Amino acid sequence: MRDFQLLSSPLQGFTDFRFRNAFHEFYGGIDTFYAPYIRFNGKLEIKASYQRDLDPENNQVPELIPQVMTADADEFLLAANYIKSLGYNELNWNLGCPYPMVTKRGMGSGLICNHIGIDHILERVHAETDVTISMKMRLGYHETTEILESFETLKKYPLKSIAVHARTGKQLYKGGVHLDAFEKCIEQSPHLLYYNGDITSVDIFQERLERFSTIEHFMIGRGLIADPYLPLMIKQDLKDYPADRWERFKAFHDQIFTHYDEFLQGPTPIKMKMQGFWGYFAEQFENPQKTFKKIKKAGNTRNYQIAVNEILNSVK
């Protein structure tokens, strides 16, 4: 198998430093983690939650790249200068987020067609900071060809890379990925491309690796939470799960549960946080809906832990 790197795509609300550290400790397989995006909401200040997440002392992963989501050059520059002050050399710009609350404000994938806006921001950032800029994009918001039109603007700047999620913003996470459209990106991109989208098994990864022979970086998002063993299995080319699959998952789960429980105030926040994770974790089990229903029915921490033990005992 040829050389490649696996990257962890950021998921807001999930892949903060607590998750990243536990994932790296118990599983591994990810070469580079991307932090969930910094967003400003009209105030030129870095929120405490972003500061905690990016604090180098809180991160024990091999490489972490901060991300920003903005359509404003001053916000971008504030983020760039802030992450540089922490010792980071690269800032990733999110033009991939598909959610309407973001795209309606002209950010995320809603910015892909705004070539003037993209040009203005990149021009200022490259003139006023020496931070390396990379991008995360979708194929477009409405159409899969919109990213191709943006390349004319992007070629003016020394971007490190563009990670492309092979869907449109309008799709959200529905429907399949557009592999033919991604192939056109490879043919026309002026920059190094990374592939992102629906890598959920070793077989699917190998199909992508074989089809896109010039791509050496592959980004895994939801698939990494749904199956934490996946990156390591890809790296080791394993088709069968190791014997310690569920013991390792329990240790991983217990660590993130403990760390979130210590940080969050009260039973409701920890319940909602872990329910969010189990929306993905449940995909590992034979009956995901039944598994998630057990978690959802647990009204307090004690019942939640009982439900988790029942689920894991059922697969031993």
Side-chain angles (χ1 to χ4, degrees), residues 4-285:
F4 60 86
Q5 291 206 330
L6 295 182
L7 322 170
S8 169
S9 180
L11 271 74
Q12 207 73 8
F14 292 97
T15 58
D16 70 1
F17 71 93
R18 299 172 187 87
F19 176 88
R20 295 191 299 264
N21 291 341
F23 185 93
H24 180 62
E25 178 179 346
F26 291 103
Y27 292 102
I30 292 294
D31 298 291
T32 300
F33 289 81
Y34 286 75
Y37 56 71
I38 297 169
R39 187 175 169 187
F40 292 92
N41 295 320
K43 294 182 179 179
L44 279 175
E45 60 184 27
I46 308 290
K47 286 168 56 177
S49 58
Y50 301 142
Q51 293 182 35
R52 280 192 299 272
D53 192 45
L54 295 175
D55 185 340
E57 292 189 2
N58 286 339
N59 287 279
Q60 286 94 49
V61 297
E63 182 179 32
L64 178 66
I65 296 175
Q67 186 181 80
V68 65
M69 186 165 67
T70 182
D72 181 88
D74 289 331
E75 291 180 351
F76 199 124
L77 283 163
L78 177 58
N81 291 328
Y82 178 71
I83 65 108
K84 186 179 178 182
S85 75
L86 297 178
Y88 297 101
N89 299 314
E90 178 181 343
L91 181 60
N92 186 262
W93 188 15
N94 184 319
L95 270 71
C97 183
Y99 293 113
M101 62 183 291
V102 167
T103 58
K104 285 178 181 177
R105 297 184 180 184
M107 294 186 293
S109 58
L111 184 57
I112 293 173
C113 289
N114 184 354
H115 304 148
I116 294 174
I118 292 171
D119 192 29
H120 171 70
I121 290 172
L122 289 178
E123 183 177 34
R124 280 198 59 192
V125 169
H126 283 93
E128 298 178 39
T129 180
D130 61 356
V131 168
T132 298
I133 305 301
S134 59
M135 297 180 72
K136 188 172 190 298
M137 302 180 72
R138 290 222 169 191
L139 295 168
Y141 183 73
H142 293 284
E143 305 292 338
T144 61
T145 54
E146 290 167 11
I147 191 173
L148 303 178
E149 296 162 11
S150 76
F151 286 165
E152 193 64 27
T153 299
L154 298 181
K155 74 179 184 182
K156 296 163 59 177
Y157 301 99
L159 303 174
K160 177 187 172 185
S161 60
I162 304 172
V164 180
H165 183 122
R167 283 187 174 88
T168 63
K170 199 78 172 174
Q171 280 183 268
L172 298 176
Y173 291 95
K174 300 170 186 173
V177 287
H178 301 281
L179 301 183
D180 290 345
F182 181 75
E183 206 152 312
K184 288 180 181 176
C185 292
I186 296 174
E187 293 167 3
Q188 298 185 36
S189 173
H191 297 290
L192 179 68
L193 292 188
Y194 298 173
Y195 175 83
N196 179 214
D198 284 11
I199 295 176
T200 55
S201 72
V202 176
D203 286 340
I204 289 174
F205 172 78
Q206 289 178 341
E207 288 172 11
R208 302 286 190 271
L209 188 69
E210 187 175 332
R211 174 162 183 171
F212 304 127
S213 60
T214 60
I215 300 297
E216 296 179 347
H217 299 77
F218 294 85
M219 190 173 268
I220 307 176
R222 296 169 300 149
L224 178 145
I225 304 176
D227 186 356
Y229 240 131
L230 179 60
L232 190 60
M233 291 179 71
I234 288 172
K235 281 287 183 74
Q236 296 179 351
D237 195 20
L238 299 176
K239 296 296 175 68
D240 297 317
Y241 287 96
D244 68 345
R245 178 184 184 182
W246 299 115
E247 289 80 3
R248 195 176 296 207
F249 176 75
K250 186 176 191 310
F252 165 69
H253 166 275
D254 289 353
Q255 179 161 308
I256 63 172
F257 175 81
T258 299
H259 287 179
Y260 283 117
D261 194 34
E262 289 170 354
F263 172 69
L264 297 169
Q265 300 296 314
T268 300
I270 185 64
K271 174 186 172 183
M272 299 310 295
K273 172 63 75 173
M274 297 312 296
Q275 271 190 27
F277 277 116
W278 275 96
Y280 292 104
F281 290 161
E283 297 297 320
Q284 301 173 81
F285 299 88

